[in-house]
Amino acid sequence: MKTPDSYRYLFHSGSLPPTGANRGRFQSAEANRLIEAAENEMEASLRLQSYHQLQHHLLEQLPYVPLWYEDQVAAVRGKASGYQVAGDGNYDGLETHPWLIQAK
C-alpha cells in the first residue's frame, strides 16, 4: 500500500524535531486526527478521502508557503507509447515497460 507518509513526518504534532521534520512546529488537532484516520484506514477510497480532507485543512491553515512545485514529466521518443507518469510521481513503471525492456 503506497501512502503519502510524509504528512505525519512534516505536519503531525508528534513529529516536532528531533523525532520528525515538523520544523515549523505546526500543531493542529484536526491535522493529527486526519493523518491518523488515513493511516489506520484499510479501504483505499476512505483513506483517500481522509488525505483529501487533510490537504484542504493544510491549505486553509497554510503552515508552509511552497516556494516551488515540481512537475512530473516524461519525455520520450521513438516507439514509446502507453506510458503514464504515476499520480504519486514515481517512475517505477519504467522498469517494466515493454519498450524500455526491448531497448536494453
Side-chain angles (χ1 to χ4, degrees):
M1 166 173 58
K2 291 185 179 184
T3 62
D5 59 359
S6 60
Y7 283 122
R8 172 176 284 281
Y9 189 61
L10 295 171
F11 299 112
H12 195 280
S13 298
S15 292
L16 302 178
T19 60
N22 186 350
R23 293 180 186 96
R25 301 189 131 7
F26 176 70
Q27 295 188 43
S28 165
E30 179 67 1
N32 292 348
R33 183 188 71 75
L34 290 167
I35 291 166
E36 293 164 10
E39 290 174 341
N40 293 319
E41 181 55 60
M42 296 308 293
E43 188 176 325
S45 63
L46 295 176
R47 185 172 54 250
L48 182 62
Q49 205 171 56
S50 291
Y51 281 124
H52 281 169
Q53 290 173 2
L54 175 61
Q55 288 174 334
H56 286 282
H57 177 69
L58 293 172
L59 183 60
E60 289 171 354
Q61 297 298 307
L62 206 58
Y64 295 104
V65 176
L67 300 178
W68 81 90
Y69 176 78
E70 231 177 276
D71 286 330
Q72 299 298 329
V73 178
V76 295
R77 66 180 185 150
K79 296 181 181 181
S81 63
Y83 178 75
Q84 293 183 348
V85 178
D88 64 2
N90 76 65
Y91 293 101
D92 294 346
L94 289 174
E95 293 177 350
T96 58
H97 199 280
W99 59 261
L100 184 63
I101 293 170
Q102 292 172 359
K104 287 183 179 182

